[in-house]
Amino acid sequence: MTENDKQTEEKIFESATEVFIEKGMDGARMQDIANHAGINKALLHYYYRTKDHLFNAVFEKIAGQLFKKFAPVFDEKLSLEEKIRFFFREHITFLQKNPRLPAFLLNEINRNPARIRKLIQSIDIEKLWNTLEKQHKAELKKYNITRETIPQLMTTMAAISVFPFAARGIIEGIFDKLGVNFQDYLEERKTYAAEFVIHAIKKGA
Amino acid sequence: MTENDKQTEEKIFESATEVFIEKGMDGARMQDIANHAGINKALLHYYYRTKDHLFNAVFEKIAGQLFKKFAPVFDEKLSLEEKIRFFFREHITFLQKNPRLPAFLLNEINRNPARIRKLIQSIDIEKLWNTLEKQHKAELKKYNITRETIPQLMTTMAAISVFPFAARGIIEGIFDKLGVNFQDYLEERKTYAAEFVIHAIKKGA
DNA sequence: TATATTTTTGACCAATTGGTTAAACTATAT
DNA sequence: ATATAGTTTAACCAATTGGTCAAAAATATA
């Protein structure tokens, strides 16, 4: 029954995703994943030969998802300012739905940098950047954004969006003491971050 | 020989620090730590009863170090703008010397949020904030920084400083393809980040 | 129904791991 | 020197873990 095959394999994959995200590669146990999927442990090895295979499958899918969320920024026919607003709104919204992703990805990337290198190799970043440059030539000049400052700006934007999720444990702890609600903070952040960045680049550094 | 005692215990602690930072709590092996310190594994348990004890000792010291780096911001007799410049310069410089710290701390915090909660409980954040508010009453008004926007601003600054180290694996991978040097980028970031934030808050969002 | 194929399982294994223990070693004090 | 207390080690243990295997159960095929 190929219908059931997929059900089992999919259930394994979903369970593995949940457990890996929560415990990490090192912390996750094959038995946990099997229990979570309601199947025998040996069945895991039947579909995915080893823990490493299973983890790689999960990791690559997750990383792909996250990268996809960045992609529309390069397509949308929006002004630069509108793109900045679009980015923070969509990206933070996505992370609200997958709040554990940043911490998981950052950890595994640091634990095994080679893994992400391969994924990056397959992306033509130069081309993406050229696209952006053409689309916004006038605006980039206006904001005084050059090839030298682009890495600073891009990493800053990623940082502002991702960091609250990656450091949620500390941030939420502090917020609790200040009576700040983390979810409200995230909602607010979608617009705050956009306006913050737009203000910052106006007139340029 | 109490002299040797301290040497051994210290050597254990240092080795444990290195191994834990590189491998994380789950990934670290007591045997690795023992080898690294050039001693027998049983000796680890002689000085630190369990792996958990040893890890907690390491973790609390590291977390304390990092928090200390934030402290001067609340003492220095500088203007708000100067403090922002001071923060990025000092903080990024500290992280350059301890580049693995952010990834390690973020990971362990997410793996065991309760651990960091205790540390946070011991800090009177309200008092720190009141201090800042008094010192910069006029400037805060001028920049339109309120109690509501402070969490946004603070997390943004932390994000800009910490994220490049936490996400180094990805960032460096991308930079390589663009011919950007990571160390140069970090040097540049000390001033770029400061001016970026100062620009952003001028006139206020 | 009988046969072949695939899926699922329980039992098992070798390796690893955190932790223990008893004995050896060292230093100090009497 | 001898006893005492603290330090270090080698050998060992129980539990865990990723992974294997043969057989059973389920499914498809003839």
Side-chain angles (χ1 to χ4, degrees), chain B residues 21-71:
Chain B
I21 284 180
E22 200 187 318
K23 306 273 189 181
M25 165 67 169
D26 287 336
R29 302 287 154 234
M30 293 298 267
Q31 190 61 57
D32 285 353
I33 296 171
N35 292 343
H36 197 286
I39 54 155
N40 188 285
K41 191 184 61 161
L43 206 52
L44 294 181
H45 293 89
Y46 179 75
Y47 284 100
Y48 300 87
R49 222 166 314 173
T50 66
K51 187 184 183 184
D52 234 60
H53 278 69
L54 180 53
F55 179 82
N56 281 337
V58 168
F59 182 85
E60 284 183 24
K61 179 160 185 189
I62 287 176
Q65 276 181 352
L66 198 65
F67 269 99
K68 257 184 208 159
K69 277 288 147 185
F70 280 89

CSV table of all heavy atoms in Angstrom, one decimal, chain B residues 21-71:
chain,number,residue,atom,x,y,z
B,21,ILE,N,32.2,24.6,25.3
B,21,ILE,CA,31.9,25.7,24.3
B,21,ILE,C,31.9,25.1,22.9
B,21,ILE,O,31.1,25.4,22.1
B,21,ILE,CB,32.9,26.9,24.4
B,21,ILE,CG1,32.5,27.7,25.7
B,21,ILE,CG2,32.9,27.7,23.2
B,21,ILE,CD1,33.4,28.9,25.9
B,22,GLU,N,32.9,24.2,22.7
B,22,GLU,CA,33.0,23.7,21.3
B,22,GLU,C,31.9,22.6,21.0
B,22,GLU,O,31.3,22.6,19.9
B,22,GLU,CB,34.3,23.0,21.1
B,22,GLU,CG,34.7,22.9,19.6
B,22,GLU,CD,36.0,22.1,19.4
B,22,GLU,OE1,36.9,22.4,20.2
B,22,GLU,OE2,36.0,21.3,18.5
B,23,LYS,N,31.6,21.8,22.0
B,23,LYS,CA,30.7,20.7,21.7
B,23,LYS,C,29.3,20.8,22.3
B,23,LYS,O,28.4,20.1,22.0
B,23,LYS,CB,31.3,19.4,22.3
B,23,LYS,CG,32.7,19.1,21.7
B,23,LYS,CD,32.7,18.4,20.4
B,23,LYS,CE,34.1,17.9,20.1
B,23,LYS,NZ,34.2,17.2,18.8
B,24,GLY,N,29.1,21.7,23.3
B,24,GLY,CA,27.9,21.9,24.0
B,24,GLY,C,27.8,20.8,25.1
B,24,GLY,O,28.5,19.9,25.1
B,25,MET,N,26.7,21.0,25.9
B,25,MET,CA,26.6,20.1,27.0
B,25,MET,C,26.4,18.6,26.5
B,25,MET,O,27.0,17.7,27.0
B,25,MET,CB,25.3,20.5,27.9
B,25,MET,CG,24.8,19.5,28.8
B,25,MET,SD,25.9,19.1,30.2
B,25,MET,CE,24.9,18.1,31.3
B,26,ASP,N,25.5,18.4,25.6
B,26,ASP,CA,25.2,17.1,25.1
B,26,ASP,C,26.4,16.5,24.4
B,26,ASP,O,26.6,15.3,24.5
B,26,ASP,CB,23.9,17.1,24.2
B,26,ASP,CG,22.7,17.3,24.9
B,26,ASP,OD1,22.6,17.0,26.1
B,26,ASP,OD2,21.7,17.8,24.3
B,27,GLY,N,27.0,17.3,23.6
B,27,GLY,CA,28.1,16.8,22.7
B,27,GLY,C,29.4,16.5,23.5
B,27,GLY,O,30.2,15.7,23.0
B,28,ALA,N,29.6,17.2,24.5
B,28,ALA,CA,30.9,17.1,25.3
B,28,ALA,C,30.9,15.8,26.0
B,28,ALA,O,30.0,15.2,26.5
B,28,ALA,CB,31.0,18.2,26.3
B,29,ARG,N,32.1,15.2,26.0
B,29,ARG,CA,32.4,13.9,26.7
B,29,ARG,C,33.3,14.1,27.9
B,29,ARG,O,34.4,14.8,27.7
B,29,ARG,CB,33.0,12.9,25.7
B,29,ARG,CG,32.2,12.6,24.5
B,29,ARG,CD,30.9,11.8,24.8
B,29,ARG,NE,29.9,12.0,23.9
B,29,ARG,CZ,28.6,12.4,24.2
B,29,ARG,NH1,28.3,12.6,25.4
B,29,ARG,NH2,27.7,12.6,23.3
B,30,MET,N,33.0,13.5,29.0
B,30,MET,CA,33.9,13.7,30.2
B,30,MET,C,35.3,13.2,29.8
B,30,MET,O,36.3,13.8,30.3
B,30,MET,CB,33.3,12.9,31.3
B,30,MET,CG,32.0,13.4,31.8
B,30,MET,SD,32.1,15.1,32.5
B,30,MET,CE,32.4,14.7,34.3
B,31,GLN,N,35.4,12.2,29.0
B,31,GLN,CA,36.7,11.7,28.6
B,31,GLN,C,37.5,12.7,27.8
B,31,GLN,O,38.7,12.9,28.1
B,31,GLN,CB,36.6,10.4,27.8
B,31,GLN,CG,37.9,9.6,27.6
B,31,GLN,CD,38.5,9.2,28.9
B,31,GLN,OE1,37.9,8.5,29.6
B,31,GLN,NE2,39.7,9.6,29.1
B,32,ASP,N,36.8,13.4,27.0
B,32,ASP,CA,37.4,14.5,26.2
B,32,ASP,C,38.0,15.5,27.1
B,32,ASP,O,39.2,16.0,27.0
B,32,ASP,CB,36.4,15.2,25.3
B,32,ASP,CG,36.1,14.3,24.1
B,32,ASP,OD1,36.8,13.3,23.9
B,32,ASP,OD2,35.2,14.7,23.3
B,33,ILE,N,37.2,15.9,28.1
B,33,ILE,CA,37.7,16.9,29.0
B,33,ILE,C,38.9,16.5,29.8
B,33,ILE,O,39.8,17.2,30.0
B,33,ILE,CB,36.5,17.3,30.0
B,33,ILE,CG1,35.3,18.0,29.2
B,33,ILE,CG2,37.0,18.3,31.1
B,33,ILE,CD1,34.1,18.2,30.0
B,34,ALA,N,38.8,15.2,30.3
B,34,ALA,CA,39.9,14.6,31.0
B,34,ALA,C,41.2,14.6,30.1
B,34,ALA,O,42.3,15.1,30.6
B,34,ALA,CB,39.6,13.2,31.5
B,35,ASN,N,41.1,14.1,28.9
B,35,ASN,CA,42.2,14.1,28.0
B,35,ASN,C,42.8,15.5,27.8
B,35,ASN,O,44.0,15.7,27.9
B,35,ASN,CB,41.8,13.5,26.7
B,35,ASN,CG,41.5,12.1,26.7
B,35,ASN,OD1,41.8,11.4,27.7
B,35,ASN,ND2,40.8,11.6,25.7
B,36,HIS,N,41.9,16.4,27.6
B,36,HIS,CA,42.3,17.8,27.3
B,36,HIS,C,43.0,18.4,28.5
B,36,HIS,O,44.0,19.2,28.4
B,36,HIS,CB,41.0,18.6,27.1
B,36,HIS,CG,41.3,19.9,26.4
B,36,HIS,ND1,41.9,21.0,27.1
B,36,HIS,CD2,41.1,20.4,25.1
B,36,HIS,CE1,42.0,22.0,26.2
B,36,HIS,NE2,41.6,21.7,25.1
B,37,ALA,N,42.7,17.9,29.7
B,37,ALA,CA,43.3,18.4,30.9
B,37,ALA,C,44.5,17.5,31.3
B,37,ALA,O,45.3,17.9,32.2
B,37,ALA,CB,42.4,18.5,32.1
B,38,GLY,N,44.7,16.5,30.6
B,38,GLY,CA,45.8,15.6,30.8
B,38,GLY,C,45.7,14.8,32.1
B,38,GLY,O,46.7,14.6,32.8
B,39,ILE,N,44.5,14.5,32.5
B,39,ILE,CA,44.3,13.8,33.8
B,39,ILE,C,43.4,12.6,33.6
B,39,ILE,O,42.8,12.4,32.5
B,39,ILE,CB,43.7,14.7,34.9
B,39,ILE,CG1,42.5,15.3,34.3
B,39,ILE,CG2,44.7,15.7,35.3
B,39,ILE,CD1,41.5,15.8,35.3
B,40,ASN,N,43.2,11.8,34.7
B,40,ASN,CA,42.3,10.7,34.6
B,40,ASN,C,40.8,11.2,34.8
B,40,ASN,O,40.6,12.2,35.4
B,40,ASN,CB,42.6,9.8,35.8
B,40,ASN,CG,41.8,8.5,35.8
B,40,ASN,OD1,40.6,8.5,36.0
B,40,ASN,ND2,42.5,7.5,35.4
B,41,LYS,N,40.0,10.4,34.1
B,41,LYS,CA,38.6,10.8,34.1
B,41,LYS,C,38.0,10.9,35.5
B,41,LYS,O,37.1,11.8,35.8
B,41,LYS,CB,37.8,9.9,33.2
B,41,LYS,CG,36.4,10.3,32.9
B,41,LYS,CD,35.6,9.3,32.1
B,41,LYS,CE,35.5,8.0,32.9
B,41,LYS,NZ,34.4,7.2,32.4
B,42,ALA,N,38.4,9.9,36.3
B,42,ALA,CA,37.8,9.9,37.7
B,42,ALA,C,38.1,11.1,38.5
B,42,ALA,O,37.3,11.5,39.4
B,42,ALA,CB,38.4,8.7,38.4
B,43,LEU,N,39.2,11.8,38.1
B,43,LEU,CA,39.6,13.0,38.8
B,43,LEU,C,38.6,14.1,38.6
B,43,LEU,O,38.4,15.0,39.4
B,43,LEU,CB,41.0,13.5,38.4
B,43,LEU,CG,41.8,14.3,39.4
B,43,LEU,CD1,41.8,13.6,40.7
B,43,LEU,CD2,43.2,14.5,38.9
B,44,LEU,N,37.9,14.1,37.4
B,44,LEU,CA,36.9,15.1,37.2
B,44,LEU,C,35.8,15.0,38.2
B,44,LEU,O,35.3,16.0,38.8
B,44,LEU,CB,36.2,14.8,35.8
B,44,LEU,CG,37.1,15.1,34.5
B,44,LEU,CD1,36.3,14.8,33.3
B,44,LEU,CD2,37.7,16.5,34.5
B,45,HIS,N,35.4,13.7,38.5
B,45,HIS,CA,34.3,13.5,39.4
B,45,HIS,C,34.8,13.8,40.9
B,45,HIS,O,34.0,13.9,41.8
B,45,HIS,CB,33.8,12.1,39.3
B,45,HIS,CG,33.1,11.8,38.0
B,45,HIS,ND1,33.8,11.4,36.9
B,45,HIS,CD2,31.8,12.0,37.6
B,45,HIS,CE1,32.9,11.3,35.9
B,45,HIS,NE2,31.7,11.6,36.3
B,46,TYR,N,36.1,13.8,41.1
B,46,TYR,CA,36.6,14.1,42.4
B,46,TYR,C,36.4,15.5,42.7
B,46,TYR,O,36.0,15.9,43.8
B,46,TYR,CB,38.1,13.7,42.4
B,46,TYR,CG,38.7,14.0,43.8
B,46,TYR,CD1,38.5,13.2,44.9
B,46,TYR,CD2,39.6,15.0,43.9
B,46,TYR,CE1,39.1,13.4,46.1
B,46,TYR,CE2,40.2,15.3,45.1
B,46,TYR,CZ,40.0,14.5,46.2
B,46,TYR,OH,40.6,14.8,47.4
B,47,TYR,N,36.7,16.4,41.7
B,47,TYR,CA,36.5,17.8,41.9
B,47,TYR,C,35.1,18.3,41.7
B,47,TYR,O,34.6,19.2,42.4
B,47,TYR,CB,37.5,18.6,41.1
B,47,TYR,CG,38.9,18.5,41.6
B,47,TYR,CD1,39.9,17.6,41.0
B,47,TYR,CD2,39.3,19.3,42.6
B,47,TYR,CE1,41.2,17.6,41.5
B,47,TYR,CE2,40.6,19.3,43.1
B,47,TYR,CZ,41.5,18.4,42.6
B,47,TYR,OH,42.8,18.3,43.1
B,48,TYR,N,34.5,17.8,40.6
B,48,TYR,CA,33.1,18.2,40.3
B,48,TYR,C,32.3,16.9,40.3
B,48,TYR,O,32.5,16.1,39.4
B,48,TYR,CB,33.0,18.9,39.0
B,48,TYR,CG,33.9,20.2,39.0
B,48,TYR,CD1,35.2,20.1,38.6
B,48,TYR,CD2,33.3,21.4,39.3
B,48,TYR,CE1,36.0,21.3,38.6
B,48,TYR,CE2,34.1,22.6,39.3
B,48,TYR,CZ,35.4,22.5,38.9
B,48,TYR,OH,36.2,23.6,38.9
B,49,ARG,N,31.4,16.7,41.2
B,49,ARG,CA,30.8,15.4,41.4
B,49,ARG,C,30.3,14.8,40.1
B,49,ARG,O,30.5,13.7,39.7
B,49,ARG,CB,29.7,15.5,42.4
B,49,ARG,CG,29.6,14.3,43.3
B,49,ARG,CD,28.8,14.6,44.6
B,49,ARG,NE,29.1,15.9,45.1
B,49,ARG,CZ,28.4,16.5,46.1
B,49,ARG,NH1,27.3,15.9,46.6
B,49,ARG,NH2,28.7,17.7,46.5
B,50,THR,N,29.5,15.6,39.3
B,50,THR,CA,28.9,15.1,38.1
B,50,THR,C,29.1,16.0,36.9
B,50,THR,O,29.6,17.1,37.1
B,50,THR,CB,27.4,14.9,38.3
B,50,THR,OG1,26.8,16.2,38.4
B,50,THR,CG2,27.0,14.1,39.4
B,51,LYS,N,28.8,15.5,35.8
B,51,LYS,CA,28.9,16.3,34.5
B,51,LYS,C,28.1,17.6,34.7
B,51,LYS,O,28.5,18.7,34.3
B,51,LYS,CB,28.5,15.5,33.3
B,51,LYS,CG,28.7,16.2,32.0
B,51,LYS,CD,28.1,15.3,30.9
B,51,LYS,CE,28.4,16.0,29.5
B,51,LYS,NZ,27.8,15.2,28.4
B,52,ASP,N,26.9,17.4,35.3
B,52,ASP,CA,26.0,18.5,35.4
B,52,ASP,C,26.6,19.6,36.3
B,52,ASP,O,26.5,20.8,36.0
B,52,ASP,CB,24.7,18.0,36.1
B,52,ASP,CG,23.5,18.4,35.2
B,52,ASP,OD1,23.5,18.0,34.0
B,52,ASP,OD2,22.6,19.2,35.7
B,53,HIS,N,27.3,19.2,37.4
B,53,HIS,CA,27.9,20.2,38.3
B,53,HIS,C,29.0,20.9,37.6
B,53,HIS,O,29.0,22.2,37.6
B,53,HIS,CB,28.6,19.4,39.5
B,53,HIS,CG,27.6,19.1,40.6
B,53,HIS,ND1,26.6,18.1,40.5
B,53,HIS,CD2,27.5,19.6,41.9
B,53,HIS,CE1,26.0,18.1,41.6
B,53,HIS,NE2,26.5,18.9,42.5
B,54,LEU,N,29.8,20.2,36.8
B,54,LEU,CA,30.9,20.8,36.1
B,54,LEU,C,30.3,21.8,35.1
B,54,LEU,O,30.8,22.9,34.9
B,54,LEU,CB,31.7,19.7,35.4
B,54,LEU,CG,32.9,20.2,34.6
B,54,LEU,CD1,33.8,21.1,35.4
B,54,LEU,CD2,33.7,19.0,34.1
B,55,PHE,N,29.3,21.4,34.4
B,55,PHE,CA,28.7,22.2,33.3
B,55,PHE,C,28.2,23.5,33.9
B,55,PHE,O,28.4,24.6,33.4
B,55,PHE,CB,27.7,21.5,32.5
B,55,PHE,CG,27.0,22.4,31.5
B,55,PHE,CD1,27.7,22.5,30.3
B,55,PHE,CD2,25.9,23.0,31.7
B,55,PHE,CE1,27.1,23.3,29.3
B,55,PHE,CE2,25.3,23.8,30.8
B,55,PHE,CZ,25.9,24.0,29.5
B,56,ASN,N,27.4,23.3,35.0
B,56,ASN,CA,26.8,24.5,35.7
B,56,ASN,C,27.9,25.5,36.1
B,56,ASN,O,27.7,26.7,35.9
B,56,ASN,CB,26.0,24.1,36.9
B,56,ASN,CG,24.6,23.6,36.5
B,56,ASN,OD1,24.1,23.9,35.4
B,56,ASN,ND2,24.0,22.7,37.3
B,57,ALA,N,29.0,25.0,36.7
B,57,ALA,CA,30.1,25.9,37.1
B,57,ALA,C,30.6,26.7,35.9
B,57,ALA,O,30.7,27.9,35.9
B,57,ALA,CB,31.2,25.1,37.7
B,58,VAL,N,30.8,26.0,34.8
B,58,VAL,CA,31.3,26.6,33.6
B,58,VAL,C,30.3,27.6,33.0
B,58,VAL,O,30.6,28.8,32.7
B,58,VAL,CB,31.6,25.6,32.5
B,58,VAL,CG1,31.9,26.2,31.1
B,58,VAL,CG2,32.9,24.8,32.9
B,59,PHE,N,29.1,27.2,33.0
B,59,PHE,CA,28.0,28.0,32.4
B,59,PHE,C,27.9,29.3,33.1
B,59,PHE,O,27.8,30.4,32.5
B,59,PHE,CB,26.7,27.3,32.3
B,59,PHE,CG,25.6,28.0,31.6
B,59,PHE,CD1,25.5,28.0,30.3
B,59,PHE,CD2,24.7,28.7,32.4
B,59,PHE,CE1,24.5,28.7,29.7
B,59,PHE,CE2,23.7,29.5,31.8
B,59,PHE,CZ,23.6,29.4,30.4
B,60,GLU,N,27.8,29.2,34.4
B,60,GLU,CA,27.5,30.4,35.2
B,60,GLU,C,28.7,31.4,35.1
B,60,GLU,O,28.4,32.6,35.1
B,60,GLU,CB,27.3,30.0,36.7
B,60,GLU,CG,25.9,29.4,36.9
B,60,GLU,CD,25.5,29.1,38.3
B,60,GLU,OE1,26.1,29.7,39.2
B,60,GLU,OE2,24.6,28.2,38.5
B,61,LYS,N,29.9,30.9,35.1
B,61,LYS,CA,31.0,31.8,35.0
B,61,LYS,C,31.0,32.6,33.6
B,61,LYS,O,31.1,33.8,33.5
B,61,LYS,CB,32.3,31.1,35.1
B,61,LYS,CG,33.5,32.0,34.9
B,61,LYS,CD,34.8,31.5,35.5
B,61,LYS,CE,35.9,32.5,35.5
B,61,LYS,NZ,37.2,31.9,35.8
B,62,ILE,N,30.7,31.8,32.6
B,62,ILE,CA,30.7,32.4,31.2
B,62,ILE,C,29.5,33.4,31.1
B,62,ILE,O,29.7,34.5,30.6
B,62,ILE,CB,30.5,31.3,30.2
B,62,ILE,CG1,31.8,30.5,30.0
B,62,ILE,CG2,30.1,31.9,28.8
B,62,ILE,CD1,31.7,29.4,29.0
B,63,ALA,N,28.4,33.0,31.6
B,63,ALA,CA,27.2,34.0,31.5
B,63,ALA,C,27.5,35.2,32.3
B,63,ALA,O,27.2,36.3,31.9
B,63,ALA,CB,26.0,33.3,32.1
B,64,GLY,N,28.2,35.0,33.5
B,64,GLY,CA,28.5,36.2,34.3
B,64,GLY,C,29.5,37.1,33.5
B,64,GLY,O,29.3,38.4,33.5
B,65,GLN,N,30.5,36.6,32.9
B,65,GLN,CA,31.4,37.4,32.1
B,65,GLN,C,30.7,38.2,31.1
B,65,GLN,O,31.0,39.4,30.9
B,65,GLN,CB,32.4,36.5,31.4
B,65,GLN,CG,33.6,36.0,32.2
B,65,GLN,CD,34.5,35.1,31.4
B,65,GLN,OE1,34.2,34.7,30.3
B,65,GLN,NE2,35.7,34.8,32.0
B,66,LEU,N,29.8,37.6,30.4
B,66,LEU,CA,29.1,38.3,29.3
B,66,LEU,C,28.3,39.5,29.9
B,66,LEU,O,28.3,40.6,29.3
B,66,LEU,CB,28.2,37.3,28.5
B,66,LEU,CG,27.8,37.9,27.1
B,66,LEU,CD1,29.1,38.0,26.2
B,66,LEU,CD2,26.8,36.9,26.5
B,67,PHE,N,27.6,39.2,30.9
B,67,PHE,CA,26.7,40.2,31.5
B,67,PHE,C,27.6,41.4,32.0
B,67,PHE,O,27.2,42.5,31.9
B,67,PHE,CB,25.9,39.6,32.7
B,67,PHE,CG,24.6,39.1,32.2
B,67,PHE,CD1,24.3,37.8,32.0
B,67,PHE,CD2,23.5,40.0,32.0
B,67,PHE,CE1,23.1,37.3,31.6
B,67,PHE,CE2,22.3,39.6,31.6
B,67,PHE,CZ,22.1,38.2,31.4
B,68,LYS,N,28.8,41.0,32.6
B,68,LYS,CA,29.6,42.1,33.1
B,68,LYS,C,30.0,43.1,32.0
B,68,LYS,O,30.2,44.3,32.2
B,68,LYS,CB,30.9,41.5,33.6
B,68,LYS,CG,31.0,41.4,35.1
B,68,LYS,CD,32.3,40.9,35.6
B,68,LYS,CE,32.1,40.1,37.0
B,68,LYS,NZ,33.2,39.2,37.2
B,69,LYS,N,30.1,42.6,30.7
B,69,LYS,CA,30.5,43.4,29.6
B,69,LYS,C,29.4,44.5,29.3
B,69,LYS,O,29.7,45.5,28.8
B,69,LYS,CB,30.7,42.6,28.4
B,69,LYS,CG,32.1,42.0,28.3
B,69,LYS,CD,33.2,43.1,28.0
B,69,LYS,CE,34.5,42.7,28.7
B,69,LYS,NZ,35.5,43.8,28.6
B,70,PHE,N,28.2,44.2,29.8
B,70,PHE,CA,27.1,45.1,29.6
B,70,PHE,C,27.1,46.2,30.6
B,70,PHE,O,26.7,47.3,30.4
B,70,PHE,CB,25.7,44.4,29.6
B,70,PHE,CG,25.4,43.7,28.3
B,70,PHE,CD1,25.7,42.4,28.1
B,70,PHE,CD2,24.6,44.4,27.4
B,70,PHE,CE1,25.4,41.8,26.9
B,70,PHE,CE2,24.3,43.7,26.2
B,70,PHE,CZ,24.7,42.4,26.0
B,71,ALA,N,27.6,45.8,31.8
B,71,ALA,CA,27.5,46.7,33.0
B,71,ALA,C,28.0,48.1,32.8
B,71,ALA,O,27.3,49.1,33.2
B,71,ALA,CB,28.1,46.0,34.2
